[in-house]
Amino acid sequence: QSIARLASPDAVDQTSELVGALSRGERLDPFETEWLSKNGRRVNVALNVSRILNESGVATAAAAIARDMTSQIKLESALRESEKRLGFMVEHLPTGAAYIHVSEQTIMFNKAVTGITGFAAEEITTLDEWFRALYGNRANEVRAIYEADRKRGFPSTRTVELNHKEGTRKLVEFAAYCYDHREVWLLNDV
């Protein structure tokens, strides 16, 4: 029977393209599509299709490995929704919050941190930029203290002085929490 019987109504064109590519002898990269189960349920599948060649090297058939992706897609969707809710919550916290990916040396922070520092999140995206922008000529000294605290698991809250973008100095209560290769910083203007 034709493979087109497996295609959902939304994937008929994609299936026709697949059959055409196979008949032209084209190599196919793995891709995702939607099939119908015997009972009519839509199933998201990942397909890996290989041509079957005869003795002359001509493609006469194809073999496909189909993996049901429905559960994975639902989980990914739930994760994206959860991340969106968490992002919204963090963005609207009254206290400054920053997320640091230590191995990538990147930083993201909320509007409260922008209020404390004067810098928009797009202006500071790495730890090097953070220390240079907020500590100026003291950047290396403060970075060394931070690294030492990080190695000890941030044992205590610190009060630090940083430079606001407009040139004024701010006293900020700084607390950090580690997990895996990530950190969460909480900053409170004191």
Side-chain angles (χ1 to χ4, degrees), residues 117 119 127-143 146 159-164 169-170 172 174 185 187:
T117 66
F119 290 95
L127 286 179
D128 285 340
E129 292 170 346
W130 174 269
F131 286 102
R132 275 196 313 269
L134 299 173
Y135 298 100
N137 59 4
R138 299 180 310 132
N140 291 338
E141 170 195 341
V142 175
R143 179 80 184 248
Y146 157 76
T159 300
V160 296
E161 185 178 57
L162 52 82
N163 300 326
H164 189 275
R169 292 188 176 237
K170 292 254 187 166
V172 176
F174 172 87
W185 295 355
L187 295 93

Side-chain angles (χ1 to χ4, degrees), residues 39-188:
N39 66 6
R41 181 177 63 89
R42 291 176 181 253
V43 180
N44 297 303
V45 294
L47 279 179
N48 193 341
V49 181
S50 300
R51 295 176 295 135
I52 299 175
L53 308 177
N54 64 15
E55 299 81 28
S56 306
V58 176
T60 57
I65 297 173
R67 188 172 53 138
D68 185 346
M69 301 291 291
T70 305
S71 295
Q72 181 175 338
I73 288 171
K74 284 180 182 176
L75 286 172
E76 288 171 355
S77 176
L79 180 61
R80 278 192 303 276
E81 186 59 34
S82 175
E83 287 174 344
K84 189 189 318 182
R85 284 193 311 268
L86 180 61
F88 179 81
M89 204 168 54
V90 169
E91 189 59 37
H92 293 86
L93 282 173
T95 191
Y99 169 83
I100 292 75
H101 195 290
V102 177
S103 58
E104 294 177 7
Q105 294 292 291
T106 57
I107 184 170
M108 296 183 303
F109 51 84
N110 67 1
K111 289 178 185 173
V113 173
T114 296
I116 293 168
T117 66
F119 290 95
E122 306 82 49
E123 294 179 276
I124 299 177
T125 59
T126 68
L127 286 179
D128 285 340
E129 292 170 346
W130 174 269
F131 286 102
R132 275 196 313 269
L134 299 173
Y135 298 100
N137 59 4
R138 299 180 310 132
N140 291 338
E141 170 195 341
V142 175
R143 179 80 184 248
I145 294 168
Y146 157 76
E147 295 291 345
D149 277 356
R150 183 164 57 84
K151 285 180 184 173
R152 292 192 317 263
F154 297 106
S156 62
T157 300
R158 284 189 176 272
T159 300
V160 296
E161 185 178 57
L162 52 82
N163 300 326
H164 189 275
K165 185 177 181 178
E166 295 175 354
T168 59
R169 292 188 176 237
K170 292 254 187 166
L171 282 178
V172 176
E173 187 178 69
F174 172 87
Y177 306 91
C178 302
Y179 61 100
D180 295 329
H181 294 286
R182 294 163 178 84
E183 296 171 6
V184 172
W185 295 355
L186 297 177
L187 295 93
N188 190 28

